[in-house]
């Protein structure tokens, strides 16, 4: 096993409320894993802690971009986490709405490119070349998610499903080793969800990266995931293959409520 | 008689308290409007100035018609000032802000700056650019005679009025139907609308209330300083806004606290250090507090929702 | 129709009531006499009534051939869309503008040229603030502080050390940038309106220090006899004020053009894109690997740089400066230039600057009324064109399919 993300005893308190309680979680290279659980279980909080938007109360988060190199990222600023090889999408889409699809993806390239103020003002050769490469790479990513025809459309004019795909393309532009998707299928119809399933598989195979997704659509989760983590009340209550999870009594209880004897 | 040093301290303390109360009265208008529509109402200082002018004009007119009874003078000119300031506040919102409800965030701010310039120049042209003496409306209260070097009659009246207004305002916001509607609107406009609250009416009401408070502040400043001109609203507005931010904008107790702290800072700063840098003290305090407490003293510290 | 008239009458009466005490009642405090100016109130009422009738019958007016309200509106709305103008038209307009700008000093009086220098100075300030407000979305209400830094730096260096304009210009830029970073580090963590008030406070602090620290800054009376720029190290222009103004004019034209050049390049660069993105969504930006603080500081320092340069030019142009030139009102006007022109739009800033500087200038016949008109115009522009006169709609990059070759559809 070759872990890319290693989370140990992660705890997050908001005032007196414990949103995450001593969470352990490992995602391996090239793996598609899912994080599921009822609403309010702490899944998005987990993403926010891992990506540096929240500073966890205690615990450790490591990224192993390569087997030899491991970086402890808890408490690190979000932009440095992204640079360390982790990028994400958001549950409530956070695109740059006034910008075009292309520009959105180009922003994603920011942390892998270098042109500074000097380059901006004097537009030397290196800057021009880099700019062309950014445009080219960004266009390629839009092709992969199937948005090449909307390249010059403003993000706010795209239909909902396309906005989700654009967010994925933008996240990919940061060259992550692990891609975190927060409810990528929310608001999609069944045809769109099927397309998304194949897109996620395609991304994993083409870029050879790991994907961790939060999702409520069980069909998508069960089809895609190699491993599933189940959370409830900020704790991890189960972990395993889709088969294990389907039959786990704790999981059933969490989903159907304490009182039911299903 | 107080010991000299202690006497000086109390003088500064009361001076700061009076000044702070007036800042607080104006700051309330900023904070209430900001709480509801997230707009820095730059023309609010002008409303305060217009309140002061209206009181002055009314008092002069009454005197010219031979009314000299101090109680009549004070109450009639005070009420006229409040009514007019409220009417200006209401109209201001309808003309300059309401059409911009869905515009980019900076547009209403520019419209507000335009309104501020407009109103200043309106008063300048219609009246005069010179300082006009403000009539001494309030006769000295005899029982304050022994402490008059520390607290004058006007100071006393300012403190009492401010205290009463604060209590009334708290009651209005906490206990009345319209107060509840205001709080609901401040939290979530869409939801408030769905629950049948007439949001436009609430916004108008907020402007009217804030303007009325500013007018009270204007009348009291006029009485204390003894003179006014068309430009007083600008400085007072900036200071009061500073007070509102200091306390945490959107928070009503915050505006009061911010106003008082600002008043004391200026009073003690000028009293013990140097009088040249009165405004520097105010702004330095603001910068320092915001650096260490980015959402003001009593402002809500929110974790970004992602 | 009756309904409209009643409505208008109500509006007119309301405004008559509103303006009555201040407009109509004139007090003579010495003689303790009060005069009422009825005509003023009645005229105002009539004007409001007419405007209101016109307003409410806009539907009728719209259809009349005379007013062509719709066509006008369409014209205004088409303005921002630069694609709607043919390249030929753009080139012709730009060419005509260039000829006009170059030849202006030959046909205009010194006074006119001076007014133009002023307008161009505001273009420069507007473009600088546009980086901070228009691109990065940081509301800076104390921009004038950096302007003051540049102006006083040159004035003091010139006074004590006799340093000339050309050396002071880059020094002013650098010092202002330094101040920008110095202020930016603590305050850029603040969001939105808190940032606005702290920058306002900072601007006031700078002005008050200039006013009160007499020994260094000469207090409210300011510093005079600042040298005008020299040409190749020779102060030949000292002889004739007229020539000095013309020389100054060309300096400003060149500096404004280079500002244009740099700012538009910045906007279409990796950094510029990051600034625009930062304005839209800070959290998404950080998640995309953009260093929020560093990017904001860059914007702040760049904006300050141009303010510093403009300050040096201002001091050299007027040869006299005092704190009264650096009040909050100045910041407000520069901000208005950016917003009225259209946030983030470079031609917009130019239009905004000319609008706000030349309008009061050429309406001097209006005398005292010009500031009233100015305030009113600001409100009107915002109410009818909330995104500014020239809305910024063009993306920084447009993908053209030939660019990548084979795999393009």
């Amino acid at each position: 096993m070759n872990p890319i993300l290693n989370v140990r005893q992660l705890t997050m308190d908001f005032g007196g409320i414990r949103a995450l309680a001593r969470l352990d979680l490992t995602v391996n290279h090239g793996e598609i894993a899912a994080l599921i659980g009822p609403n309010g279980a702490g899944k998005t909080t987990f993403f926010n802690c891992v990506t540096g938007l929240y500073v966890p109360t205690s615990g450790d988060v490591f990224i192993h971009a390569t087997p030899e190199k491991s970086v402890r990222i808890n408490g690190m600023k979000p932009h440095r986490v992204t640079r360390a090889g982790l990028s994400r999408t958001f549950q409530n889409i956070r695109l740059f709405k006034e910008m075009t699809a292309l520009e959105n993806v180009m922003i994603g390239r920011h942390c892998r490119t270098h042109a500074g103020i000097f380059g901006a003002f004097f537009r030397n050769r290196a800057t021009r070349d880099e700019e062309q490469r950014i445009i080219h790479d960004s266009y390629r990513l839009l092709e992969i998610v199937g948005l090449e025809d909307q390249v010059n459309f403003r993000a706010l004019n795209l239909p909902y499903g396309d906005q989700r795909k654009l967010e994925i393309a933008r996240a990919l532009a940061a060259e992550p080793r692990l891609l975190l998707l927060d409810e990528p299928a929310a608001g999609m119809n069944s045809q769109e969800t099927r397309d998304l399933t194949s897109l996620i598989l395609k991304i994993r195979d083409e870029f050879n990266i790991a994907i961790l997704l939060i999702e409520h659509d069980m069909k998508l989760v069960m089809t895609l995931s190699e491993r599933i983590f189940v959370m409830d009340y900020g704790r991890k209550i189960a972990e395993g293959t889709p088969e294990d999870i389907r039959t786990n009594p704790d999981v059933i209880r969490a989903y159907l409520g304490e009182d039911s004897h299903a | 008689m107080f010991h000299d040093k202690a006497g000086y301290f109390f003088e500064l303390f009361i001076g700061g308290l009076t000044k702070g109360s007036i800042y607080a009265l104006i700051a309330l208008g900023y904070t209430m409007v900001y709480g509801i529509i997230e707009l820095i109402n730059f023309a609010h200082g002008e409303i305060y100035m217009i309140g002061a002018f209206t009181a002055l004009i009314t008092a002069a007119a009454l005197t010219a018609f031979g009314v000299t009874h101090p109680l009549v003078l004070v109450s009639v000119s005070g009420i006229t000032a409040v009514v007019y300031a409220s009417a200006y506040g209401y109209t201001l919102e309808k003309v300059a802000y309401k059409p911009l409800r869905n515009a980019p965030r900076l547009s209403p701010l520019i419209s507000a700056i335009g309104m501020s310039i407009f109103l200043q120049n309106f008063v300048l042209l219609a009246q005069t650019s010179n300082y006009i003496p403000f009539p001494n409306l309030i006769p000295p209260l005899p029982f304050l005679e022994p402490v008059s070097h520390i607290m004058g009659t006007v100071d006393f009246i300012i403190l009492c009025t401010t205290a009463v207004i604060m209590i009334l305002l708290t009651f209005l916001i906490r206990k009345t139907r319209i107060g509840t509607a205001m709080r609901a609107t401040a939290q979530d406009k869409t939801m408030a609308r769905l629950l049948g609250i007439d949001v436009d009416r609430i916004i108008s009401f907020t402007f009217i209330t804030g303007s009325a408070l500013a007018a009270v502040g204007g009348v009291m400043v006029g009485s204390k300083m003894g003179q006014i001109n068309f430009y007083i609203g600008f400085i007072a507005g900036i200071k009061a806004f500073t007070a509102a931010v200091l306390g945490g904008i959107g928070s009503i107790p915050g505006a009061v606290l911010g106003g008082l702290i600002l008043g004391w800072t200026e009073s003690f700063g000028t009293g013990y250090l140097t009088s040249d840098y009165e405004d520097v003290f105010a702004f330095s305090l603001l910068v320092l507090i915001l650096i260490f407490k980015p959402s003001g003293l009593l402002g809500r510290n929110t974790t970004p929702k992602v | 129709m009756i309904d409209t008239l009643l409505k208008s009458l109500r509006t007119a009466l309301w405004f008559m009531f509103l303006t009555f005490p201040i407009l109509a009642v004139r007090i003579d405090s010495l003689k303790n006499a009060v005069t009422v100016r009825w005509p003023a109130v009645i005229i105002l009422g009539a004007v409001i009534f007419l405007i209101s009738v016109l307003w409410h019958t806009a539907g009728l007016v719209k259809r009349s051939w005379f007013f062509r309200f719709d066509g006008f509106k369409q014209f205004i709305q088409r303005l921002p869309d630069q694609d709607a103008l043919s390249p030929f038209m753009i080139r012709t307009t730009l060419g005509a503008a260039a000829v006009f700008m170059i030849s202006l000093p030959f046909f205009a009086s010194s006074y006119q040229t001076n007014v133009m220098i002023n307008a161009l100075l505001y273009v420069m300030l507007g473009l600088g603030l546009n980086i901070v407000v228009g691109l990065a979305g940081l509301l800076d209400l104390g921009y004038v502080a950096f302007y003051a830094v540049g102006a006083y730096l040159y004035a003091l260096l010139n006074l004590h050390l006799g340093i000339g304009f050309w050396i002071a210009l880059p020094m002013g830029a650098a010092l202002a940038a330094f101040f920008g970073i110095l202020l930016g580090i603590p305050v850029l963590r603040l969001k939105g309106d808190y940032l606005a008030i702290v920058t306002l406070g900072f601007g006031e602090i700078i002005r008050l220090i200039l006013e009160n620290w007499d020994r260094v800054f000469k207090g409210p009376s300011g510093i005079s006899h600042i040298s005008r720029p020299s040409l190749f190290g020779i102060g030949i222009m000292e002889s004739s004020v007229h020539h000095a103004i013309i020389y100054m004019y060309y300096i400003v034209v060149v500096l404004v053009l280079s500002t244009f050049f740099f700012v538009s390049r910045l906007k279409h660069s990796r950094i510029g894109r990051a600034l625009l993105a930062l304005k839209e969504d800070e959290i998404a930006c950080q998640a995309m690997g953009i260093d929020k603080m560093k990017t904001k500081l860059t914007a702040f320092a760049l904006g300050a740089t141009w303010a510093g340069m403009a300050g040096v030019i201002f001091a050299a142009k007027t040869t006299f400066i005092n704190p009264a030139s650096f009040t909050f009102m100045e910041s407000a006007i520069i901000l208005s230039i950016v917003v009225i022109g259209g946030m983030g739009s470079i031609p917009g800033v130019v239009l905004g600057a000319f609008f706000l500087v030349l309008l009061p200038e050429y309406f001097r016949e209006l005398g005292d009324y010009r500031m009233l008109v100015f305030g009113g115009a600001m409100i009107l522009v915002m109410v009818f064109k909330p995104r500014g006169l020239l809305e910024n709609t063009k993306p920084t990059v447009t993908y053209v399919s030939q660019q990548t070759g084979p795999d393009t559809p």
Side-chain angles (χ1 to χ4, degrees):
Chain A
M1 274 299 142
N2 220 345
I4 168 88
L5 177 73
N6 198 343
V7 177
R8 282 186 216 143
Q9 300 285 302
L10 191 70
T11 302
M12 178 80 209
D13 293 340
F14 288 113
I17 299 154
R18 178 149 290 194
L20 294 178
R22 303 155 76 74
L23 205 77
D24 286 315
L25 192 150
T26 310
V27 181
N28 297 319
H29 268 287
E31 178 181 55
I32 297 181
L35 186 59
I36 64 169
N39 283 323
K43 304 181 300 285
T44 297
T45 306
F46 172 77
F47 267 27
N48 290 344
C49 280
V50 170
T51 51
L53 288 175
Y54 295 166
V55 179
T57 313
S58 65
D60 286 313
V61 182
F62 293 98
I63 295 182
H64 308 268
T66 53
E68 309 82 56
K69 213 174 103 191
S70 107
V71 190
R72 184 169 177 272
I73 57 165
N74 40 325
M76 215 184 232
K77 287 265 161 55
H79 68 269
R80 298 194 42 211
V81 174
T82 308
R83 229 164 277 180
L86 216 157
S87 80
R88 69 175 289 181
T89 66
F90 294 90
Q91 188 180 346
N92 329 305
I93 304 172
R94 301 191 83 118
L95 287 166
F96 306 113
K97 293 194 179 59
E98 299 281 329
M99 300 175 112
T100 64
L102 183 69
E103 285 175 305
N104 266 281
V105 183
M106 286 171 77
I107 296 287
R109 295 296 302 149
H110 188 92
C111 66
R112 304 292 172 209
T113 44
H114 311 283
I117 289 296
F118 179 83
F121 284 166
F122 298 101
R123 248 178 233 179
N124 50 336
R125 186 62 189 266
T127 309
R128 289 201 306 272
D129 290 350
E130 185 184 84
E131 187 76 2
Q132 282 310 309
R133 262 202 320 280
I134 295 175
I135 294 176
H136 180 84
D137 295 347
S138 304
Y139 185 77
R140 272 281 299 146
L141 286 166
L142 284 172
E143 275 183 329
I144 286 168
V145 300
L147 288 176
E148 66 273 22
D149 291 340
Q150 283 88 344
V151 55
N152 291 328
F153 284 27
R154 287 216 231 171
L156 75 144
N157 294 333
L158 292 177
Y160 196 73
D162 287 353
Q163 293 196 9
R164 291 236 175 255
K165 286 192 212 156
L166 179 55
E167 250 204 331
I168 295 176
R170 186 180 69 176
L172 283 173
E175 290 175 25
R177 303 303 305 152
L178 169 64
L179 179 64
L180 301 171
L181 302 176
D182 198 345
E183 299 199 20
M188 285 187 172
N189 62 32
S190 55
Q191 178 57 45
E192 285 172 322
T193 309
R194 272 197 298 279
D195 292 348
L196 181 73
T197 311
S198 46
L199 175 64
I200 292 175
L201 285 170
K202 183 171 145 196
I203 287 170
R204 192 261 304 263
D205 297 339
E206 193 150 324
F207 295 93
N208 189 26
I209 57 175
I211 294 169
L212 175 63
L213 50 94
I214 295 177
E215 190 45 71
H216 284 295
D217 186 320
M218 280 309 137
K219 195 159 162 252
L220 179 127
V221 170
M222 294 300 171
T223 329
L224 275 177
S225 324
E226 283 139 21
R227 238 150 29 102
I228 298 175
F229 305 94
V230 189
M231 280 180 73
D232 195 19
Y233 294 111
R235 291 169 302 116
K236 184 176 78 179
I237 56 168
E239 173 183 347
T241 63
E243 267 322 300
D244 302 336
I245 297 301
R246 220 190 296 268
T247 51
N248 187 315
D250 288 339
V251 177
I252 294 166
R253 201 175 311 124
Y255 268 87
L256 300 178
E258 295 286 348
D259 302 332
S260 75
H261 303 281
Chain B
M1 235 5 229
F2 284 96
H3 184 267
D4 257 1
K5 257 188 178 162
Y8 189 54
F9 176 83
F10 277 111
E11 196 188 315
L12 295 178
F13 181 82
I14 297 290
L17 192 63
T18 321
K19 217 172 183 181
S21 305
I22 292 170
Y23 287 151
L25 278 178
I26 313 172
L28 282 169
Y30 278 110
T31 242
M32 286 165 69
V33 165
Y34 191 91
I36 290 209
I37 54 174
E38 300 211 334
L39 162 76
I40 305 174
N41 177 14
F42 248 102
H44 189 61
E46 268 53 63
I47 299 285
Y48 147 95
M49 179 267 294
I50 283 173
F53 261 92
T54 311
L56 181 142
I57 289 165
T58 315
L62 285 175
T63 319
F65 287 121
V67 182
T68 48
H69 192 283
L71 204 64
V72 177
L73 268 183
V74 171
S75 50
V76 172
S77 51
I79 289 169
T80 317
V82 168
V83 168
Y84 265 97
S86 307
Y88 270 95
Y90 171 83
T91 315
L92 165 78
E93 193 270 329
K94 285 276 175 288
V95 172
Y97 305 149
K98 191 162 178 250
L100 294 170
R101 224 31 86 64
N102 298 315
R105 265 185 69 84
L106 282 182
S107 308
L109 184 73
I110 300 301
S111 169
I113 293 174
M115 194 45 115
S116 168
I117 297 175
F118 184 85
L119 288 176
Q120 267 178 32
N121 283 279
F122 166 62
V123 174
L124 165 75
L125 292 172
Q127 295 289 327
T128 166
S129 62
N130 300 323
Y131 271 98
I132 312 180
F134 199 87
N136 193 2
L137 297 172
I138 307 161
L141 294 169
F143 67 88
L144 284 172
E145 190 54 46
V147 287
S148 63
H149 62 291
I150 292 172
M151 192 194 317
T153 303
V154 176
D155 296 323
F156 180 74
I157 301 280
I158 289 176
L159 294 182
C160 293
T161 318
T162 314
V164 170
I165 285 178
M166 296 301 164
I167 293 167
L168 286 179
L169 188 69
T170 313
F171 177 77
L172 174 84
I173 287 172
R174 295 268 150 233
K175 302 280 183 220
T176 62
R177 236 177 104 77
I178 194 147
T180 316
M182 278 168 85
R183 282 183 288 143
T185 312
Q187 278 200 3
D188 189 337
K189 260 200 281 298
T190 319
M191 198 58 210
R193 196 170 275 133
L194 287 175
L195 291 174
I197 294 172
D198 183 346
V199 171
D200 284 339
R201 211 170 62 96
I202 296 298
I203 293 174
S204 290
F205 183 76
T206 310
F207 270 87
I208 290 173
T209 318
S211 305
L213 297 178
V216 175
V219 175
M220 296 198 303
V221 163
S223 309
K224 185 160 168 60
M225 298 301 165
Q227 56 174 9
I228 56 171
N229 80 346
F230 75 99
Y231 202 61
I232 56 165
F234 182 71
I235 313 282
I238 289 184
K239 292 282 187 61
F241 182 61
T242 305
V245 174
L246 201 61
I249 197 155
S251 148
I252 286 176
V256 178
L257 182 69
L260 293 180
I261 289 179
L262 194 68
W264 278 320
T265 309
E266 290 188 3
S267 184
F268 287 121
T270 51
Y272 287 123
L273 299 169
T274 159
S275 61
D276 289 344
Y277 290 97
E278 180 177 352
D279 297 349
V280 176
F281 295 133
F283 290 121
S284 311
L285 177 78
L286 175 82
V287 173
L288 281 178
I289 286 189
L290 284 187
I291 286 168
F292 293 106
K293 192 108 180 31
S295 37
L297 290 171
L298 301 182
R300 276 165 298 172
N301 236 335
T302 47
T303 319
K305 188 99 187 82
V306 182
Chain C
M1 195 63 205
I2 303 244
D3 202 38
T4 309
L5 288 178
L6 277 178
K7 243 189 217 161
S8 305
L9 190 66
R10 228 171 46 210
T11 315
L13 285 175
W14 174 252
F15 276 96
M16 283 164 81
F17 160 76
L18 211 55
T19 50
F20 179 75
I22 288 171
L23 187 64
V25 185
R26 199 80 197 240
I27 342 154
D28 191 334
S29 48
L30 290 178
K31 279 182 256 159
N32 208 1
V34 170
T35 44
V36 179
R37 294 173 295 180
W38 286 108
V41 182
I42 290 168
I43 291 172
L44 180 103
V47 170
I48 298 274
F49 181 75
L50 272 177
I51 294 176
S52 175
V53 169
L54 276 176
W55 180 265
H56 288 297
T57 49
L60 298 173
V61 178
K62 217 195 291 187
R63 263 169 271 133
S64 73
W65 61 270
F66 174 69
F67 221 82
R68 304 298 288 178
F69 192 74
D70 230 12
F72 178 69
K73 211 171 161 184
Q74 266 174 23
F75 171 72
I76 290 280
Q77 272 162 0
R78 259 194 16 217
L79 270 180
D81 191 2
Q82 284 146 11
D83 297 335
L85 301 167
S86 68
F88 173 73
M89 271 175 75
I90 294 175
R91 249 176 265 150
T92 320
T93 320
L94 284 180
V99 170
F100 176 77
M101 293 308 286
I102 291 168
S103 58
L104 182 94
F106 296 106
F107 60 81
S109 66
S110 285
Y111 174 76
Q112 299 282 349
T113 314
N114 220 349
V115 168
M116 197 42 108
I117 295 178
N118 224 2
L120 289 174
L121 208 54
Y122 277 96
V123 171
M124 211 168 146
L125 286 166
L127 287 173
L129 186 60
N130 190 39
I131 300 173
V132 184
V133 181
L135 298 186
L138 303 165
L139 183 49
D140 182 354
L141 291 181
Y143 190 61
V144 77
F146 305 122
Y147 186 40
V149 165
Y152 269 87
L153 177 85
Y154 176 46
L156 291 172
L157 287 180
N158 188 261
L159 180 74
H160 297 300
L161 306 172
I163 286 178
F165 174 82
W166 292 109
I167 296 169
L169 191 65
M171 285 173 83
L175 188 72
F178 174 72
F179 263 76
I181 292 170
L182 209 65
L183 173 71
I185 288 170
V187 308
L188 284 175
R189 293 186 308 137
L190 302 171
K191 54 181 174 35
D193 300 305
Y194 288 96
L195 177 69
I197 188 72
V198 170
T199 49
L200 190 159
F202 176 74
E204 286 295 291
I205 290 175
I206 294 267
R207 185 181 63 81
L208 290 162
I209 289 173
L210 293 176
E211 209 156 87
N212 290 306
W213 197 353
D214 299 12
R215 268 188 307 150
V216 181
F217 300 111
K218 312 286 175 208
S221 52
I223 301 171
S224 48
H225 301 298
I226 304 165
S227 311
R228 293 178 198 274
S230 59
L231 186 58
F232 306 118
I234 324 158
I236 50 166
M237 297 310 170
E238 301 296 340
S239 54
S240 151
V241 173
H242 179 65
H243 285 139
I245 287 174
I246 293 177
Y247 180 45
M248 194 74 230
Y249 173 79
Y250 285 116
I251 291 175
V252 175
V253 167
V254 169
L255 284 171
V256 166
L257 283 180
S258 51
T259 310
F260 260 135
F261 177 78
F262 282 132
V263 173
S264 83
R265 283 203 155 178
L266 175 72
K267 191 176 160 188
H268 298 96
S269 72
R270 171 176 172 269
I271 304 284
R273 259 195 315 277
L275 291 176
L276 283 168
L278 203 62
K279 176 165 77 171
E280 289 206 38
D281 192 329
E282 285 193 7
I283 288 175
C285 261
Q286 287 173 283
M288 286 304 108
I290 292 174
D291 186 339
K292 187 172 81 172
M293 272 310 283
K294 198 174 134 196
T295 312
K296 281 185 175 180
L297 270 180
T298 310
F300 223 61
L302 279 175
T305 307
W306 263 282
M309 278 199 275
V312 175
I313 298 171
F314 175 74
K317 179 195 91 127
T318 53
T319 70
F320 162 72
I321 53 167
N322 70 349
S325 306
F326 308 102
T327 57
F328 167 69
M329 212 55 226
E330 208 68 14
S331 289
I333 287 177
I334 304 167
L335 179 68
S336 308
I337 286 174
V338 176
V339 180
I340 285 184
M343 294 241 299
S345 153
I346 294 171
V349 170
V350 180
L351 194 67
F354 281 86
F355 182 81
L356 287 188
V357 178
L358 299 185
L359 185 81
E361 199 56 50
Y362 287 109
F363 280 82
R364 275 197 195 278
E365 296 88 85
L366 288 175
D368 301 332
Y369 288 88
R370 69 196 181 101
M371 285 311 280
L372 192 78
V373 173
F374 175 69
M378 276 169 79
I379 303 170
L380 286 179
V381 171
M382 282 298 105
V383 168
F384 290 103
K385 207 83 175 95
R387 288 175 171 275
L389 292 170
L390 292 177
E391 192 181 331
N392 182 38
T393 50
K394 260 179 107 97
T396 57
V397 190
T398 315
Y399 189 80
V400 190
S401 48
Q402 299 91 283
Q403 244 162 341
T404 53
D407 42 46
T408 330

